[in-house]
Amino acid sequence: MSDDEPSDSIDVANVGISFGDVEVVSDVSFAVEPGELVGLVGPNGAGKTSLLRVLSGTLEPTDGTVTVDGTDVHDLSSRAASRLVAVVPQDTAVSFSFDVRTVVEMGRYPHRSRFSPPNTSDRELVDRALERTRTARFADRPIDDVSGGERQRVVLARAIAQDTPILLLDEPTASLDVNHAIETLDLVRELVDDGRTAVAAIHDLTLAARYCDRLVVVANGSVVADGEPDEVLTSETLASAFDVSATVTPNPVTGTPTVTALPDTASESENGAGARSPLPGRVHVVGTGTPALTVLSRLTSAGIACTIGPVASDSPVAETARNLEVEPIESPPFSPPGAEARARLERAIEDADVTVLADVTVGPGNRFVLETVLESGPLAVIKQRPFAERNYAGDRARRQYEACRRRAVETTSSSVLEEVRVAFADRPPSEFDGRAESTADDD
Amino acid sequence: MSTLYRTLGWTVALTATLAAVVVSSAMLGPVRIDPVTVSKVVLNLTGLFAYDVSGVEQTIVADVRLPRILLAATVGFSLAAAGTVMQGFFRNPLADPSIIGVSSGAAAGAVAAIAFPALFPAVLASVHVPAFIGALVTAFLVYAIATEGGRTPVATLLLAGVALQAFLGAMISYMMVHSGENLREAVYWMMGRLHRSSWSDIEFALPIALLGVLVLAAYTREMNVLLLGEEDAQALGVNVERTKVVLLVLATVVTAAGVAVAGVIGFVGLVVPHMMRLVVGPDHRILLPTSALAGASFLVLTDTLSRAGPAEVPVGIVTAALGAPFFLFLLKRREVHSL
């Protein structure tokens, strides 16, 4: 990029895009300052790609204008536009076998006249682009021979060789594994720090927050938020833009916002009370299988302190619980929990604001678990296969389980967070809650 | 830079091959003539030399064999170049020079002129002109049908070409049914005819072919960039719609010139670019000139075969009979799946 480029601000004013009768976006306005890396985020189909195509000049907007450095990009010839704006497209599939270097050399196309062979500076720029993207080592291989991730970096190299003040990237990390995604965004960040201006559609919100100076959230055909990542990435914005409930917590290492989506809870949170009631401070989870682990990870990721048990020590459940920084109540493998486990369980359930009864298999040795749960505070029971299949402790255990269910809130492991809220809000537990008067055993 | 040297190297080598093939072909026939004599006649024809050659040999080489051989070279040159452009343009390994109906249009014009000579004024007496016009009109029609709102989607172009080819095929069949005693001539034209070639055929086709391929060679970088897809090409600064028109017009004119003088000769424009792609790679800067030159040698060789047997076989039969199995061989080796 030459230093005599005065400024490369992009101004998107009231842009509307329609394909036939289908309106993709309407009245989109935002500005990109020179030397800024702006992330375009939003759900699939929100029109991010179309907006990038309008920015690059390849798609004429139905309404509004896009000006770069004061000039409407659609008034420029494609050659002039391509000296100003380079594009890294999302779809890099190829149907030919040029070698990698030739593809990168194509980035020099807008700078060369028809009959002049590439000069020294062309070759230097191509070499540098190959090195910066770490594609130099396979520069002589055919492009259809390299992996999808490598191909994406080759296309980025092409855009770097194009040597434009503005770089547009459409999902530059879509087909990359995590270390290459970070490497690529590091490189984009570096290019921006060198003075380029970049707009990137990035679907990974956490990465977008980490690398972009500013995020523009596009949803339902318009801009719903525009600002610095920590201003923009809030549970409210995400709920309205992505129709998903999510938590945003600062990344312990980088300090940038980290987004954790919590699926299937959006509908519950919309119907009112549940969303506003506070989360319990401590939950005890009873269970030894996948549903229990799902519950545990949902709750811990929402910041709730959990206990789990009793579980067999060294079992995958115990291991995973420790990974989630939850200390499990352990019992020796292949033998019933002893008196110590029982005491710890009683204490844990007493301390818990809410108890969640997940997939518990009851035998004569651990029937005390149900007895203890019966004494618990607010209770949520996870729906799953009939208790009869899990009961090896006879009729008494069945009656105890039924008693638990009657005073509990029923839920599934995926929507446990909302129901734990409800259970917590419903305290003290109302016996014979109407909710539980269903069939004798659930499916 | 290395691309330039590679291109030059291959061009020189293939030109030398072509010269060797032409001279060898001119030696063969009912009367064997030694290579030195053939070379002398060729050099005499340039007007710069005046070697002493016997009258009979001079006549056989200069008036009988060379026009046919050079016409074959010209036609092979045109068709292979146009095939390269079309395959790149359509990003489709099955594209050939006649994909948008050029050959069918030429055939319709030629067959009309052959079957109903009374309908054509004296100016159009030679088959070239109606064939050439038929080819251009068809290509223009296909382009006009496929263009909407200033854009010409490649897929629509392809389908419009297929549809118009089918229609013209019906017209040609109808005319042939009613062509009476001219049927044999029309059938021969449809199979490709290089026999009865004259210097006037070459004077018609060679300038168009050379000029067309020369201008196409100036657009090879655009052809490369277009292979990335139209969207990418535009983002890289190619004026996509204009470039498409230029490529289409040039490829059509070059094909039309070849078909008008030689009839429908299949497989040269399909197979030769694939062969050369295997050898030199997909870069059009080197692929276009090498394909054109290889196409010239290829058609001279097949035409030599077609007249080598006891009875002359139309060259179109030979190219298809050799080209189709070779293409299938490439297909099975999965060499033609990418451009």
Side-chain angles (χ1 to χ4, degrees):
Chain A
M1 181 176 42
S2 48
D3 294 328
D4 51 335
E5 294 287 347
S7 99
D8 333 295
S9 59
I10 308 172
D11 195 20
V12 179
N14 313 107
V15 161
I17 306 168
S18 304
F19 294 112
D21 296 336
V22 183
E23 190 176 64
V24 180
V25 296
S26 63
D27 201 23
V28 166
S29 300
F30 62 91
V32 180
E33 297 302 317
E36 207 177 24
L37 171 52
V38 171
L40 214 50
V41 300
N44 291 339
K48 290 169 295 183
T49 299
S50 300
L51 273 175
L52 286 177
R53 289 176 66 203
V54 166
L55 288 181
S56 71
T58 51
L59 179 68
E60 189 102 26
T62 322
D63 301 303
T65 52
V66 175
T67 50
V68 172
D69 196 12
T71 320
D72 191 332
V73 284
H74 295 275
D75 291 341
L76 295 171
S77 71
S78 49
R79 199 178 175 83
S82 64
R83 288 179 182 173
L84 209 54
V85 182
V87 181
V88 179
Q90 180 173 12
D91 177 19
T92 58
V94 289
S95 58
F96 51 87
S97 48
F98 287 124
D99 59 42
V100 165
R101 178 182 294 276
T102 310
V103 173
V104 177
E105 273 169 4
M106 288 181 190
R108 300 303 301 155
Y109 175 85
H111 301 277
R112 288 169 51 193
S113 74
R114 187 172 299 287
F115 297 105
S116 65
N119 59 27
T120 324
S121 94
D122 286 331
R123 276 196 302 277
E124 273 171 9
L125 280 163
V126 168
D127 284 340
R128 203 150 40 153
L130 286 167
E131 272 159 32
R132 289 190 92 164
T133 52
R134 303 194 188 190
T135 47
R137 72 192 158 78
F138 50 83
D140 296 321
R141 276 178 42 206
I143 180 106
D144 54 355
D145 246 26
V146 304
S147 74
E150 289 169 332
R151 201 164 59 225
Q152 197 137 19
R153 273 148 60 208
V154 172
V155 177
L156 181 60
R158 190 186 77 200
I160 294 172
Q162 205 172 331
D163 196 30
T164 55
I166 294 168
L167 202 55
L168 303 178
L169 305 104
D170 193 359
E171 301 286 5
T173 57
S175 59
L176 301 183
D177 56 39
V178 67
N179 65 322
H180 283 124
I182 286 172
E183 209 173 88
T184 299
L185 289 173
D186 275 337
L187 176 58
V188 172
R189 186 69 244 179
E190 209 177 286
L191 292 167
V192 170
D193 293 340
D194 287 353
R196 284 183 222 227
T197 308
V199 180
I202 301 176
H203 71 279
D204 186 321
L205 296 171
T206 304
L207 283 180
R210 186 159 142 200
Y211 285 95
C212 298
D213 299 310
R214 213 148 52 76
L215 295 182
V216 174
V217 185
V218 184
N220 306 320
S222 59
V223 173
V224 297
D226 177 353
E228 286 182 19
D230 42 3
E231 299 164 17
V232 167
L233 290 186
T234 61
S235 303
E236 292 76 37
T237 315
L238 296 175
S240 74
F242 289 89
D243 200 20
V244 68
S245 78
T247 59
V248 184
T249 48
N251 183 307
V253 180
T254 60
T256 53
T258 300
V259 176
T260 311
L262 307 162
D264 291 343
T265 56
S267 52
E268 279 106 328
S269 69
E270 269 163 20
N271 58 29
R276 264 170 290 281
S277 55
L279 280 172
R282 179 169 282 275
V283 173
H284 182 78
V285 181
V286 179
T288 50
T290 314
L293 280 181
T294 312
V295 167
L296 197 64
S297 65
R298 287 263 151 77
L299 295 178
T300 49
S301 68
I304 300 171
C306 290
T307 48
I308 186 168
V311 297
S313 59
D314 300 330
S315 65
V317 189
E319 198 56 42
T320 314
R322 270 191 292 271
N323 285 341
L324 291 167
E325 292 172 4
V326 171
E327 191 54 44
I329 298 169
E330 287 173 288
S331 58
F334 308 115
S335 54
E340 192 207 332
R342 180 170 188 161
R344 284 184 64 196
L345 173 69
E346 279 165 5
R347 214 162 41 242
I349 285 184
E350 201 174 315
D351 289 348
D353 296 318
V354 175
T355 303
V356 176
L357 182 57
D359 55 337
V360 80
T361 301
V362 183
N366 69 345
R367 209 175 54 208
F368 73 87
V369 172
L370 279 182
E371 281 160 12
T372 318
V373 170
L374 259 177
E375 306 294 316
S376 77
L379 179 65
V381 173
I382 305 296
K383 278 190 226 162
Q384 54 195 318
R385 64 197 167 99
F387 183 67
E389 291 177 16
R390 298 178 276 135
N391 181 15
Y392 301 96
D395 215 30
R396 187 156 158 228
R398 187 187 64 79
R399 281 198 305 275
Q400 285 169 339
Y401 185 78
E402 284 308 310
C404 289
R405 270 191 56 200
R406 273 198 297 276
R407 51 171 279 264
V409 168
E410 265 192 289
T411 178
T412 60
S413 51
S414 57
S415 56
V416 67
L417 191 61
E418 288 306 315
E419 291 303 335
V420 161
R421 273 190 158 123
V422 171
F424 187 54
D426 278 356
R427 79 217 131 122
S430 54
E431 293 231 30
F432 302 106
D433 181 355
R435 207 188 297 253
E437 284 184 358
S438 53
T439 50
D441 238 333
D442 40 350
D443 42 12
Chain B
M1 215 48 171
S2 64
T3 312
L4 187 60
Y5 287 136
R6 276 186 73 210
T7 310
L8 283 176
W10 275 102
T11 304
V12 169
L14 285 168
T15 309
T17 308
L18 178 60
V21 168
V22 166
V23 170
S24 318
S25 178
M27 289 159 53
L28 299 174
V31 180
R32 289 278 160 109
I33 296 169
D34 66 284
V36 179
T37 313
V38 172
S39 306
K40 282 178 181 169
V41 176
V42 172
L43 290 173
N44 284 350
L45 282 174
T46 62
L48 301 173
F49 301 89
Y51 289 107
D52 193 26
V53 181
S54 89
V56 182
E57 289 178 328
Q58 169 80 29
T59 308
I60 291 175
V61 174
D63 297 344
V64 179
R65 291 187 189 165
L66 270 185
R68 176 171 184 163
I69 291 165
L70 291 182
L71 189 70
T74 305
V75 172
F77 185 84
S78 311
L79 293 179
T84 308
V85 175
M86 290 296 190
Q87 284 169 8
F89 181 95
F90 285 103
R91 266 169 277 147
N92 186 332
L94 282 178
D96 76 352
S98 55
I99 193 115
I100 58 165
V102 183
S103 296
S104 302
V111 171
I114 292 167
F116 311 109
L119 295 179
F120 285 81
V123 191
L124 303 180
S126 112
V127 175
H128 303 163
V129 182
F132 192 68
I133 292 172
L136 295 190
V137 168
T138 308
F140 176 77
L141 264 180
V142 168
Y143 182 79
I145 291 168
T147 302
E148 206 173 332
R151 283 182 167 268
T152 316
V154 160
T156 320
L157 201 58
L158 205 70
L159 291 174
V162 169
L164 216 62
Q165 273 187 60
F167 177 77
L168 287 170
M171 292 297 104
I172 292 165
S173 301
Y174 179 82
M175 289 191 288
M176 284 170 76
V177 166
H178 293 279
S179 59
E181 60 193 26
N182 295 320
L183 177 63
R184 189 185 165 80
E185 173 74 18
V187 168
Y188 265 87
W189 196 91
M190 293 290 292
M191 290 176 175
R193 42 131 249 179
L194 284 166
H195 62 288
R196 278 199 281 161
S197 319
S198 67
W199 283 105
S200 72
D201 291 330
I202 297 173
E203 280 161 17
F204 175 82
L206 187 61
I208 299 177
L210 277 182
L211 199 68
V213 173
L214 216 60
V215 181
L216 280 172
Y219 275 88
T220 47
R221 283 202 303 141
E222 279 83 350
M223 287 182 221
N224 284 348
V225 178
L226 270 176
L227 272 190
L228 301 177
E230 293 185 14
E231 187 94 356
D232 277 23
Q234 189 168 351
L236 282 171
V238 175
N239 187 334
V240 171
E241 291 303 323
R242 202 192 65 197
T243 306
K244 275 160 71 181
V245 172
V246 169
L247 293 180
L248 216 51
V249 166
L250 287 170
T252 299
V253 169
V254 166
T255 308
V259 177
V261 292
V264 181
I265 297 177
F267 274 97
V268 180
L270 179 66
V271 173
V272 172
H274 281 298
M275 265 163 43
M276 291 317 294
R277 217 174 259 117
L278 288 182
V279 180
V280 301
D283 189 336
H284 284 99
R285 288 172 292 181
I286 178 164
L287 182 62
L288 181 76
T290 51
S291 285
L293 288 167
S297 294
F298 177 82
L299 199 57
V300 172
L301 279 174
T302 45
D303 183 52
T304 309
L305 274 180
S306 84
R307 64 186 171 85
E312 164 114 23
V313 183
V315 67
I317 294 176
V318 180
T319 55
L322 289 178
F326 183 69
F327 191 77
L328 289 176
F329 166 73
L330 293 183
L331 197 67
K332 291 307 278 184
R333 283 189 52 200
R334 305 201 156 268
E335 302 283 11
V336 289
H337 284 260
S338 59
L339 287 180

